[in-house]
Amino acid sequence: MALNLRQKQTECIIRMLNLNQPANPTGTANEEVYKILIYDKFCQNILSPLIHVKDLRKHGVTLYFLVDKDRKPVNDVPAVYFVQPNQSNIQRIVADASRSLYDNFYLNFSSSIPRPLLEDLASGTLSSDSIHKISKVHDQYLEFVTLEDNLFSLSQKSTYLQLNDPSAGDKEIEDIIERIVSGLFCVLATLAVVPIIRCSRGGPAEMVASALDQKLRDHLLSKNNLFSEGGSFASSFQRPILCIFDRNFELSAAIQHDFRYRPLVHDILGLKLNRLSVPGEKGGMKSYELDSSDPFWMANGSLEFPEVAVEIETQLNTYKKDVDEVNRRTGGNAGAEFDGTDLIGNTKHLMNAVNSLPELTERKQVIDKHTNIATVLLGQIKERSLDAYVKKENDMMDRGGIDRNELLAVLKGKGTKMDKLRFAITYVISSETINPADAEAVEAALIESEVDTSAYQYVKKIKSLTVSLASANSASRNNIVDWAEKLYGQSISAVTAGVKNLLSSDRQLALTRTVEALMEGKPNPEIDSYLVFDPRAPKSSSGSSSSHLKGPFKEAIVFMIGGGNYVDYGSLQDLAKHQQPVKNVIYGTTEILTGMEFVEQLSQLGHKMGLGNPVATSSATH
């Protein structure tokens, strides 16, 4: 039985809505007990992709509010709170209890509540004589957003920027690492698995792996730990492997344009929490949900855009055929929309026709939705020549460079300022050596298009540093590292760890290739230097490669620090599907970013280092 994060997190939420009692055999909370749900913005984002408003009623929730909104008292009804454990939420809960807004308070925190806050809650409710209102306090370990069965995000903003900020102090870096570790711990607690952890040496990946290993060790010492119920999993299945990477391991995947449906929809239309809005045919905006309830999205998300257009056409024709068939059997008119009004004629087919009506209507809605999305995408592709960007960027990554005239033609052609900036950065990443004259010509072309070049300058600087590191002898290399670490804060050790990947030349992502090797668990020069942490093993053996790793692994959790995307995710899902036997790979990241959002973080880093031309940052997006 494969690990299914979406299912596990949904089960935890239903149990929480059932006042932390096991759910009914039907998988719903007790709807006889009416209750009110109070959440903060972060926890609303956790709930949103998993439980729809219409589902809340099934679980006995009649009203739901944001915690910071003014609310009126509701008598004789328990309130379920689902909030992050922070000072402002605790103050709000104490205020609500002291005003006796609700009958009983069931408090659920998205992660473990620190002791000082718990004491504040106790003293606040005691002094207002409302402590009897608090029925239960639970740590739910749910501080992550699951978007698909195998996709999650910690929703921690601008992590790449914060970790690579040259002015960041040790304390700030430690706080960020601690937040990431806390989020990952929640994911593992929800899955009830203790994985074997692998990561490359140096940089944020090792810091997170090492701190997570320690947190798991400390937790496993307690008798009633969160992983004891996972014992059945451990005994009947092999443990999963958790592979931790830093975004600098493979920058290109965060910046390049992609022509597959899922990454394209995310990058161009801004898919957020499985929802997006596009202009409707008759004006106005139409909102759509793209999740596991949409069979077309699940089946075709990894196809190239032209194949998706063909598939929409095929499904539309099949739908028309089926409607014609129903109409023919019931004596209706061929070619008519099936609206149920033509049901005369042969009575014995009437029941079949009536039964097939909801299914046909649903299919038509899905086809219309994707026709509308594809039409909007096609408009953007033509307007911005996105197909040319994708082809040229892939050629650059394959060949390790591009002809100067081709390069400048793209930069002076169609596309937004951000498209051109992303193309220029991909050129820097893909080229093994950068001709100074070419680099200047690129910069001049960007400035001519009024593009803020700070992100381009930043990546070029990192790249030149990486190349000098690769060619330097060990003595001078140490000097460069010292100088670079002063200049770049955290980023350089991670960049140097990924030197081969900045120059990777094959189509499969370096991330996917590395995960495949780690899952095989065989000796392999690409991963032999990777660290191993096993929180269940004696401390002495952790951190070094050890023979107790029994590969191959059937389950992997891949975590990207500093921002992930649907390109990484799609590539890993393809790997899992094409393995024999089929493997299961869960992909998670600190936050899911479009190419534009990631490049904006690079721009800010460039500005912090005084790089780039002084064009207003916001103009880069137009």
Side-chain angles (χ1 to χ4, degrees):
M1 166 89 173
L3 294 175
N4 184 327
L5 188 59
R6 186 187 168 88
Q7 182 192 333
K8 292 272 191 192
Q9 194 179 23
T10 308
E11 284 168 6
C12 292
I13 285 166
I14 290 170
R15 191 172 65 223
M16 175 185 83
L17 294 178
N18 202 30
L19 310 183
N20 291 298
Q21 303 298 315
N24 298 335
T26 54
T28 58
N30 184 355
E31 55 186 311
E32 301 302 313
V33 180
Y34 292 125
K35 56 201 87 98
I36 290 174
L37 177 62
I38 314 286
Y39 43 65
D40 60 10
K41 196 78 193 110
F42 188 91
C43 292
Q44 183 182 24
N45 291 347
I46 294 173
L47 294 168
S48 159
L50 299 176
I51 292 202
H52 296 119
V53 168
K54 61 179 188 292
D55 297 330
L56 285 174
R57 194 62 48 85
K58 274 197 309 213
H59 303 299
V61 174
T62 49
L63 295 169
Y64 44 91
F65 302 104
L66 277 165
V67 70
D68 51 6
K69 291 277 183 290
D70 284 330
R71 287 167 272 118
K72 295 197 165 54
V74 182
N75 297 328
D76 304 329
V77 173
V80 175
Y81 279 71
F82 181 37
V83 293
Q84 282 187 296
N86 58 40
Q87 195 67 52
S88 62
N89 284 339
I90 294 293
Q91 285 168 354
R92 194 69 204 221
I93 291 166
V94 169
D96 290 354
S98 63
R99 288 174 54 210
S100 295
L101 282 190
Y102 314 111
D103 215 25
N104 305 94
F105 288 63
Y106 290 83
L107 307 181
N108 299 274
F109 294 105
S110 55
S111 63
S112 183
I113 179 169
R115 187 150 189 94
L117 287 180
L118 199 55
E119 287 168 0
D120 288 352
L121 174 67
S123 58
T125 48
L126 263 174
S127 60
S128 63
D129 195 24
S130 55
I131 197 157
H132 61 282
K133 293 270 179 198
I134 311 290
S135 294
K136 286 256 172 72
V137 178
H138 275 268
D139 292 338
Q140 290 290 356
Y141 297 101
L142 293 173
E143 200 153 289
F144 57 95
V145 176
T146 308
L147 298 167
E148 295 189 13
D149 290 353
N150 291 327
L151 175 65
F152 72 89
S153 158
L154 300 185
S155 283
Q156 296 180 1
K157 301 269 180 287
S158 304
T159 310
Y160 185 86
L161 172 64
Q162 292 162 0
L163 283 172
N164 294 286
D165 183 344
S167 63
D170 288 352
K171 178 77 178 82
E172 290 156 277
I173 299 291
E174 279 165 22
D175 288 348
I176 297 159
I177 298 294
E178 196 178 314
R179 274 211 309 279
I180 296 170
V181 167
S182 170
L184 272 175
F185 183 84
C186 288
V187 171
L188 298 175
T190 302
L191 290 169
V193 293
V194 179
I196 284 160
I197 306 168
R198 299 293 306 262
C199 69
S200 58
R201 290 175 188 276
E206 184 182 345
M207 292 161 87
V208 168
S210 170
L212 181 61
D213 174 60
Q214 193 54 54
K215 190 176 176 82
L216 286 165
R217 281 173 185 282
D218 294 346
H219 184 75
L220 287 169
L221 291 174
S222 61
K223 226 179 179 59
N224 295 331
N225 68 66
L226 294 160
F227 301 97
S228 45
E229 63 188 77
S232 55
F233 181 93
S235 57
S236 55
F237 292 93
Q238 181 198 39
R239 286 161 62 196
I241 183 171
L242 168 60
C243 314
I244 301 178
F245 296 90
D246 169 38
R247 186 70 267 171
N248 285 327
F249 175 79
E250 190 168 30
L251 269 183
S252 55
I255 296 163
Q256 274 182 267
H257 293 84
D258 198 278
F259 218 46
R260 281 164 298 184
Y261 194 39
R262 200 186 260 113
L264 203 55
V265 166
H266 175 239
D267 199 30
I268 308 301
L269 304 178
L271 181 68
K272 282 258 185 303
L273 295 171
N274 294 343
R275 287 190 176 85
L276 56 81
S277 295
V278 294
E281 290 165 10
K282 299 169 184 159
M285 296 298 280
K286 275 187 107 57
S287 284
Y288 294 124
E289 284 199 25
L290 294 170
D291 57 18
S292 54
S293 65
D294 180 335
F296 188 92
W297 177 247
M298 298 315 285
N300 303 296
S302 57
L303 295 182
E304 298 266 322
F305 181 69
E307 297 172 284
V308 172
V310 170
E311 185 58 29
I312 292 173
E313 190 67 28
T314 309
Q315 293 208 11
L316 184 60
N317 292 334
T318 312
Y319 164 79
K320 283 178 177 166
K321 260 207 215 93
D322 291 349
V323 169
D324 286 348
E325 176 62 17
V326 169
N327 281 327
R328 189 181 63 72
R329 284 171 172 245
T330 54
N333 302 323
E337 277 278 315
F338 184 61
D339 59 2
T341 53
D342 273 338
L343 295 182
I344 24 181
N346 198 332
T347 322
K348 77 172 180 184
H349 296 304
L350 277 178
M351 282 316 289
N352 289 343
V354 169
N355 290 337
S356 61
L357 179 57
E359 189 260 342
L360 283 169
T361 311
E362 205 170 300
R363 266 166 61 191
K364 184 69 166 72
Q365 283 172 346
V366 170
I367 292 166
D368 288 350
K369 167 164 78 171
H370 289 281
T371 304
N372 200 356
I373 290 171
T375 307
V376 176
L377 282 177
L378 188 61
Q380 288 288 311
I381 289 166
K382 283 182 173 166
E383 190 183 316
R384 291 159 59 180
S385 282
L386 291 174
D387 48 340
Y389 277 98
V390 171
K391 187 176 183 325
K392 293 268 178 10
E393 286 171 0
N394 283 335
D395 287 350
M396 281 196 289
M397 295 304 288
D398 286 350
R399 296 205 307 257
I402 187 173
D403 172 69
R404 182 174 175 175
N405 294 334
E406 265 190 276
L407 179 65
L408 296 177
V410 173
L411 292 175
K412 290 178 179 175
K414 286 182 178 177
T416 62
K417 294 176 186 182
M418 185 52 85
D419 289 331
K420 293 175 182 181
L421 180 56
R422 285 165 68 180
F423 185 76
I425 295 172
T426 306
Y427 153 71
V428 171
I429 291 171
S430 67
S431 309
E432 295 202 20
T433 53
I434 298 172
N435 178 329
D438 287 358
E440 277 172 34
V442 167
E443 203 164 322
L446 289 174
I447 291 169
E448 195 181 313
S449 298
E450 296 182 344
V451 177
D452 175 6
T453 60
S454 49
Y456 170 75
Q457 298 269 27
Y458 177 76
V459 175
K460 194 172 75 169
K461 193 123 187 161
I462 279 190
K463 182 66 186 273
S464 65
L465 223 67
T466 307
V467 172
S468 35
L469 273 167
S471 56
N473 62 39
S474 57
S476 63
R477 182 176 302 183
N478 289 341
N479 294 339
I480 296 175
V481 171
D482 289 347
W483 167 73
E485 292 214 321
K486 282 193 190 76
L487 187 62
Y488 287 94
Q490 293 299 310
S491 71
I492 191 62
S493 47
V495 173
T496 52
V499 63
K500 292 196 295 293
N501 310 308
L502 280 171
L503 316 173
S504 70
S505 59
D506 57 12
R507 263 304 161 69
Q508 194 185 34
L509 292 182
L511 172 72
T512 311
R513 208 172 55 239
T514 309
V515 169
E516 185 175 12
L518 289 166
M519 285 183 83
E520 274 178 7
K522 292 180 186 146
N524 179 327
E526 270 202 34
I527 56 155
D528 286 347
S529 64
Y530 275 53
L531 299 173
V532 182
F533 295 90
D534 180 357
R536 287 199 187 274
K539 183 77 176 165
S540 58
S541 64
S542 256
S544 58
S545 258
S546 74
S547 57
H548 75 272
L549 280 178
K550 301 284 184 286
F553 290 88
K554 296 188 191 73
E555 304 264 357
I557 302 163
V558 177
F559 187 74
M560 180 62 75
I561 300 166
N565 50 58
Y566 285 90
V567 179
D568 285 349
Y569 174 58
S571 178
L572 288 166
Q573 293 311 305
D574 287 348
L575 167 75
K577 269 196 292 229
H578 296 132
Q579 294 274 322
Q580 283 305 329
V582 173
K583 304 277 175 74
N584 187 48
V585 178
I586 293 175
Y587 173 73
T589 173
T590 42
E591 60 177 328
I592 292 180
L593 296 171
T594 62
M596 182 171 99
E597 289 165 341
F598 183 71
V599 170
E600 280 170 353
Q601 292 193 33
L602 292 176
S603 293
Q604 284 176 269
L605 285 168
H607 284 300
K608 282 173 181 284
M609 291 178 56
L611 301 170
N613 55 312
V615 178
T617 315
S618 61
S619 68
T621 61
H622 302 306

